[in-house]
Amino acid sequence: MASLITLVRNKFLEVLRSVNPPGKWKILVVDEHSQRLLGSVLKQFDVLEENVTLIESISNYRDPQPSFEALYLLMPTSQNVDRIIKDFSGTVKQYAGAHLFFIEGLDEQLFQRLTSSSAEPYLRGLREVFLNFWATEAQVFSIQEPAMFFGLYSPPRSDTAFQAARVRAEEDLRFAAKMISNVCITFNEFPFIRYYMPSHHPPLGSLKPHASTRPPPPPEASSRWRTNLARGAEARAYEAVESDHATKLLAFFVQDALEEHKKQNPDFGKYPPGSSEASRPRATLIITDRTMDMVAPFLHEFTYQAMVNDLLPIEDGSKYTSVVMCKVLAWFRSKAYDRYKFQSSVGAYEDKTATLSDSDTVWTEIRHMHMREAIDKLMGDFNKFLQENAVFKGEGAASLNDMKEMLASLPQYQEQREKFSLHLNMAQECMAIFERNKLPLVANVEQCCATGVTAEGKTPKHLVEEMVPLLDSREVVNMNKVRIVALYIQHRDGVPEEDRRRLYQHARLTLAEQDAVNAVVHMGVRINRTAADRDSKKKMKQKTHGDEYELSRYKPVLRAVLEEHVAGKLDNSLFPYVKEAPSAVPTPSSLRSPPPQPTSLRSQKPSWHRARSGVSQVEIRGRILVFVVGGATFPELRECYQSSSALNRDIYLGSTHTITPRQFVDDLKALELGGVGSKALPNGLRERQGTRTFQEYYDEKYYTKDAPPPQRAAPASSRLTPRERERLEAPKISPTNSLSSSVNSMTATQSGKDEKKKKRGGLFRF
């Protein structure tokens, strides 16, 4: 199965290697966003190895380099097009030529402006690479737009705000569709598209049906027609607002973007006959959103990756900081990234960067294991490491503390030592928090609420008796109480308002924490219930699985969606196709491999229980791309990896952003305020009047301010007082004065040049 990180990395290397000027060396020109995309998969050394002599920012002042050709790797904004034209407009050209590579598709008007400008004679080529997305793991991508959560689900403040809120939401969804289409283009997949259509709630937030966002109603006489076709386009458009969920709009926007790309690139989605990829079945893109599973973001998960991101101070799912001081490791926070100090047996400290990424083999092997299994594997691998190295004598490690003691005496095995030290410390901190915060009791109540059954498979009859003491306890932190209350309300499908008030009193929740629980109503969850209310009918529910850990019984709804899709049982009314379904598209049998038999996840063992075979065999399997609007959880990431093996498919998960329970609760606190005070959108959603083109929206999103030109060093005489200047201008007998002044002038000029070099050299840190 192809790693998405490797695929994106190779695409960028292909771009760098495709430019070979006569003089061999080239200059790379980037903007702020393209530099971050490039730096996410390549180090600066990797870039310079491709005959790149200098990396420059297009927004900074750059000295002309007329003897070198430049490779521009930029976002397709109006601002960047104007900067390119400016580089070749003066009497002294910035470079000898320009090879243009845009991160995604360039608007036709900008293309015309570029080719009709003074820069046209210097353009050596123009290409669109469609890599505007973040490959965060081998099977995970993100568009890193956490603010979109508020743009879609925050309720408009007043009736007059609905129109502007819907326009903003559609702009955001068109932008997300463009990034999702980039992933499809990178895979060379023109997929079937399915989207989640909930039946238990109407469109939410800014897409909620409102008189100001509806088209004009149809003529009154047309209501006598019974069939949808006979009623005409006016009636259909008027009623379509009732089903304009974010998932539906996004699915149709993605379809439009891919069809537009297909018109300009007829070979898109095709492979040469006889190639290995020609036998790959056509992919399916499933678009869902956070409202499909509102249980998963609140649960405590005890698989390694999910648990450390929930309990430890890890930023962006990859950078770890610990406040615990121990004999082996002492962690502290840096401004740019997180570091830890390693203490050797002699007491010396070394600064190391603690980054959790796919390059860490220990991390990739244990991240989806249950914490107990992860610790057992760490212990086993460490003892095996001792046995394979004859320098160690005596018995192996019997506990985490034993391992820490022995790690301090391994200076010659630094890399392996650092990996073991990192994960041992993380595991030990997680287990300490697990016991200190009464998570066994908390998690048991959460699992009963989430699954609706006890560990014995029976209906929980004493759930309130088990829950209230935890809400009353001062040893249980308020964040965990918020999660318990939110799960209990979902378990009961809403509670009477008086019962909810009592739960808040028992838990002693602050007003902001109460707001977080109340805000789930804007995510399609019913929180108030009267005696006359019936249970809401949710067609897609999680299924219980046997032979599991008692505190890990709940499985995300996404798992059931993938199982039923592969088995051909996924309800078409709940997940309709945008256009044709796979069975409606005839495909020559010679171009398809025999469909593999799906394996049920109920009986499938987790991937870590299977030994790796010695012979690697490339298998062409169908792809399933999943995109979650509003944020994906780490348990859902794990399900995609495990389902890939169980269902014999290449499954990739994308989302607007990846969320932890703490982050989700914090976002819910600010949901009714339009994001004000949140980490992603501290100033809240911006109010905008009037309409604008998508290019104007795109230009604003990627706008960067040009840096001012560097100030040249002033002559030495200009910094002197009038009396000092008179003394210098007076005739002197000693000839050393003229030499001294010339040296001062040279020193000042040289320092100015050195300052420029330092600024250029410090532009990027890949």
Side-chain angles (χ1 to χ4, degrees):
M1 181 174 178
S3 166
L4 189 54
I5 293 177
T6 302
L7 187 60
V8 172
R9 174 188 171 92
N10 290 339
K11 293 277 187 181
F12 275 121
L13 286 175
E14 179 187 339
V15 168
L16 296 174
R17 292 167 181 169
S18 65
V19 176
N20 297 291
K24 180 182 177 181
W25 298 99
K26 53 184 174 279
I27 294 175
L28 176 62
V29 183
V30 294
D31 60 32
E32 182 179 336
H33 187 72
S34 66
Q35 178 266 324
R36 290 198 296 126
L37 287 172
L38 186 65
S40 67
V41 293
L42 289 173
K43 296 181 180 179
Q44 186 175 13
F45 173 79
D46 300 323
V47 175
L48 297 178
E49 278 287 290
E50 303 302 328
N51 298 329
V52 174
T53 185
L54 186 63
I55 304 174
E56 296 190 312
S57 170
I58 197 169
S59 61
N60 281 32
Y61 173 82
R62 292 161 286 142
D63 289 327
Q65 304 279 357
S67 58
F68 289 98
E69 293 188 0
L71 188 161
Y72 287 79
L73 185 64
L74 305 171
M75 301 304 296
T77 64
S78 304
Q79 186 184 33
N80 281 339
V81 169
D82 291 338
R83 286 164 170 166
I84 295 170
I85 295 173
K86 182 180 178 181
D87 282 350
F88 298 95
S89 297
T91 54
V92 179
K93 311 305 178 187
Q94 191 71 32
Y95 307 108
H99 303 262
L100 304 183
F101 291 85
F102 289 103
I103 293 295
E104 53 188 341
L106 180 68
D107 183 76
E108 182 63 24
Q109 292 183 357
L110 294 181
F111 176 78
Q112 296 296 336
R113 185 196 305 178
L114 194 58
T115 54
S116 61
S117 68
S118 58
E120 193 274 336
Y122 299 92
L123 302 184
R124 303 290 185 261
L126 189 152
R127 181 179 158 193
E128 300 155 325
V129 296
F130 301 102
L131 292 173
N132 188 23
F133 60 91
W134 303 89
T136 55
E137 291 185 16
Q139 294 176 230
V140 180
F141 67 92
S142 171
I143 66 173
Q144 293 193 359
E145 289 291 333
M148 200 174 290
F149 175 81
F150 301 103
L152 294 175
Y153 299 111
S154 288
R157 299 289 187 90
S158 63
D159 288 343
T160 58
F162 270 88
Q163 182 66 39
R166 183 180 177 93
V167 170
R168 180 179 56 236
E170 291 186 0
E171 286 180 336
D172 288 342
L173 291 173
R174 287 185 187 276
F175 174 75
K178 196 170 183 179
M179 299 187 79
I180 296 171
S181 65
N182 287 338
V183 179
C184 297
I185 295 168
T186 299
F187 280 124
N188 195 28
E189 290 279 11
F190 195 168
F192 301 106
I193 302 178
R194 306 186 76 167
Y195 57 94
Y196 174 56
M197 275 286 289
S199 58
H200 62 284
H201 65 78
L204 303 169
S206 54
L207 298 177
K208 185 177 180 179
H210 190 264
S212 63
T213 60
R214 287 183 183 275
E220 199 169 317
S222 65
S223 61
R224 65 185 180 87
W225 295 103
R226 293 176 179 266
T227 64
N228 193 33
L229 180 63
R231 295 183 65 189
E234 291 180 348
R236 292 196 298 272
Y238 180 78
E239 294 173 354
V241 178
E242 298 290 342
S243 63
D244 276 352
H245 294 271
T247 49
K248 177 184 176 181
L249 295 180
L250 179 59
F252 279 85
F253 289 155
V254 173
Q255 183 75 33
D256 293 343
L258 292 176
E259 287 179 350
E260 183 64 28
H261 183 76
K262 180 73 172 177
K263 289 179 183 179
Q264 300 177 6
N265 303 271
D267 292 334
F268 169 55
K270 298 180 181 179
Y271 290 97
S275 66
S276 59
E277 290 288 335
S279 61
R280 186 188 296 276
R282 186 175 171 185
T284 299
L285 169 64
I286 300 175
I287 296 178
T288 181
D289 76 339
R290 188 65 272 149
T291 65
M292 185 182 76
D293 186 355
M294 282 293 291
V295 171
F298 291 107
L299 277 178
H300 279 91
E301 259 280 342
F302 300 116
T303 49
Y304 186 66
Q305 183 184 35
M307 190 173 182
V308 298
N309 277 279
D310 185 4
L311 303 184
L312 302 183
I314 296 178
E315 294 184 4
D316 302 325
S318 63
K319 292 168 184 169
Y320 169 55
T321 305
S322 172
V323 296
V324 176
M325 300 295 294
C326 58
K327 183 173 181 181
V328 178
L329 296 175
W331 300 82
F332 63 96
R333 183 180 302 277
S334 170
K335 290 182 180 179
Y337 46 79
D338 296 331
R339 299 171 177 245
Y340 65 89
K341 285 187 177 181
F342 182 87
Q343 183 181 14
S344 66
S345 58
V346 296
Y349 281 89
E350 303 172 17
D351 288 352
K352 300 294 178 183
T353 302
T355 302
L356 306 175
S357 67
D358 280 28
S359 60
D360 182 350
T361 55
V362 176
W363 167 251
T364 56
E365 287 177 358
I366 67 174
R367 62 184 171 189
H368 299 141
M369 291 183 180
H370 189 277
M371 179 60 78
R372 177 179 176 181
E373 296 171 346
I375 292 176
D376 289 343
K377 181 170 176 57
L378 282 173
M379 298 280 292
D381 289 349
F382 180 73
N383 287 327
K384 182 180 178 181
F385 174 72
L386 296 183
Q387 294 172 3
E388 292 176 350
N389 294 276
V391 295
F392 303 106
K393 296 180 181 180
E395 298 180 357
S399 67
L400 293 179
N401 286 328
D402 290 344
M403 293 178 66
K404 287 190 171 187
E405 293 287 344
M406 300 180 74
L407 281 170
S409 60
L410 305 180
Q412 63 271 43
Y413 301 98
Q414 182 176 350
E415 182 178 357
Q416 196 68 15
R417 176 187 62 179
E418 291 169 1
K419 292 179 181 179
F420 278 126
S421 298
L422 169 63
H423 296 291
L424 289 171
N425 192 74
M426 291 170 60
Q428 192 174 48
E429 284 198 55
C430 284
M431 295 312 297
I433 297 173
F434 180 79
E435 298 295 338
R436 184 170 64 247
N437 290 355
K438 292 189 173 183
L439 291 191
L441 298 176
V442 171
N444 181 61
V445 172
E446 291 177 351
Q447 290 294 322
C448 291
C449 292
T451 61
V453 295
T454 64
E456 293 77 24
K458 300 179 181 179
T459 302
K461 297 181 180 180
H462 307 287
L463 188 57
V464 174
E465 288 83 349
E466 296 176 11
M467 178 179 64
V468 170
L470 293 174
L471 298 181
D472 287 333
S473 174
R474 295 188 181 274
E475 296 180 10
V476 178
V477 297
N478 272 25
M479 176 60 68
N480 290 341
K481 294 178 181 180
V482 169
R483 294 161 70 168
I484 291 174
V485 172
L487 289 170
Y488 178 73
I489 290 175
Q490 293 186 68
H491 166 65
R492 296 293 304 272
D493 196 13
V495 296
E497 188 172 353
E498 178 62 21
D499 288 356
R500 184 156 49 92
R501 185 184 62 80
R502 289 176 181 173
L503 290 174
Y504 293 161
Q505 287 179 343
H506 278 290
R508 293 183 294 277
L509 299 185
T510 65
L511 291 177
E513 290 164 344
Q514 294 178 35
D515 289 342
V517 178
N518 295 337
V520 298
V521 72
H522 302 302
M523 304 295 294
V525 176
R526 182 165 66 183
I527 62 173
N528 288 329
R529 183 172 182 145
T530 63
D533 289 334
R534 296 181 179 181
D535 290 343
S536 57
K537 297 179 180 179
K538 299 181 182 180
K539 295 185 179 180
M540 182 58 64
K541 296 181 179 179
Q542 80 98 26
K543 301 176 182 179
T544 57
H545 300 264
D547 193 23
E548 302 283 353
Y549 288 96
E550 289 186 4
L551 301 183
S552 302
R553 303 194 306 275
Y554 181 86
K555 302 302 174 188
V557 175
L558 181 60
R559 179 174 184 166
V561 171
L562 293 171
E563 280 186 345
E564 295 188 9
H565 169 75
V566 172
K569 299 179 181 179
L570 189 58
D571 189 349
N572 284 334
S573 64
L574 191 61
F575 280 88
Y577 286 88
V578 171
K579 285 197 170 181
E580 70 273 13
S583 59
V585 183
T587 305
S589 58
S590 60
L591 293 182
R592 287 188 182 272
S593 58
Q597 295 297 322
T599 306
S600 174
L601 278 172
R602 299 183 183 90
S603 60
Q604 183 70 12
K605 292 292 184 183
S607 59
W608 59 79
H609 286 293
R610 293 191 304 274
R612 295 183 178 181
S613 58
V615 181
S616 61
Q617 194 172 9
V618 178
E619 184 182 6
I620 304 301
R621 309 187 298 185
R623 291 191 180 109
I624 300 176
L625 309 179
V626 182
F627 190 84
V628 182
V629 180
T633 64
F634 285 99
E636 288 166 336
L637 268 60
R638 183 196 68 244
E639 289 300 334
C640 283
Y641 282 91
Q642 295 179 354
S643 298
S644 293
S645 176
L647 302 176
N648 200 30
R649 296 290 191 274
D650 292 349
I651 302 177
Y652 298 86
L653 178 66
S655 63
T656 51
H657 59 304
T658 306
I659 57 174
T660 63
R662 180 176 297 276
Q663 178 186 347
F664 188 64
V665 170
D666 287 343
D667 286 346
L668 288 176
K669 292 177 183 177
L671 189 60
E672 283 200 356
L673 303 177
V676 174
S678 65
K679 181 179 178 181
L681 208 64
N683 295 324
L685 296 168
R686 295 176 57 185
E687 297 292 337
R688 182 177 180 85
Q689 302 297 330
T691 59
R692 56 179 173 177
T693 64
F694 179 75
Q695 186 62 45
E696 290 173 333
Y697 165 88
Y698 194 84
D699 289 342
E700 180 181 313
K701 182 169 286 289
Y702 291 115
Y703 174 81
T704 56
K705 189 176 181 180
D706 286 333
Q711 296 181 355
R712 300 189 180 277
S717 60
S718 64
R719 299 194 295 267
L720 302 178
T721 63
R723 179 171 297 181
E724 289 172 334
R725 193 176 295 113
E726 289 177 4
R727 291 177 182 175
L728 285 176
E729 292 173 355
K732 301 291 183 180
I733 300 176
S734 173
T736 58
N737 290 317
S738 60
L739 177 63
S740 177
S741 62
S742 64
V743 170
N744 289 338
S745 177
M746 290 174 61
T747 303
T749 306
Q750 185 64 33
S751 65
K753 292 181 179 178
D754 290 343
E755 187 178 353
K756 289 180 188 175
K757 289 182 180 179
K758 287 180 181 178
K759 287 182 179 179
R760 273 206 306 276
L763 282 176
F764 304 112
R765 290 289 183 264
F766 284 85

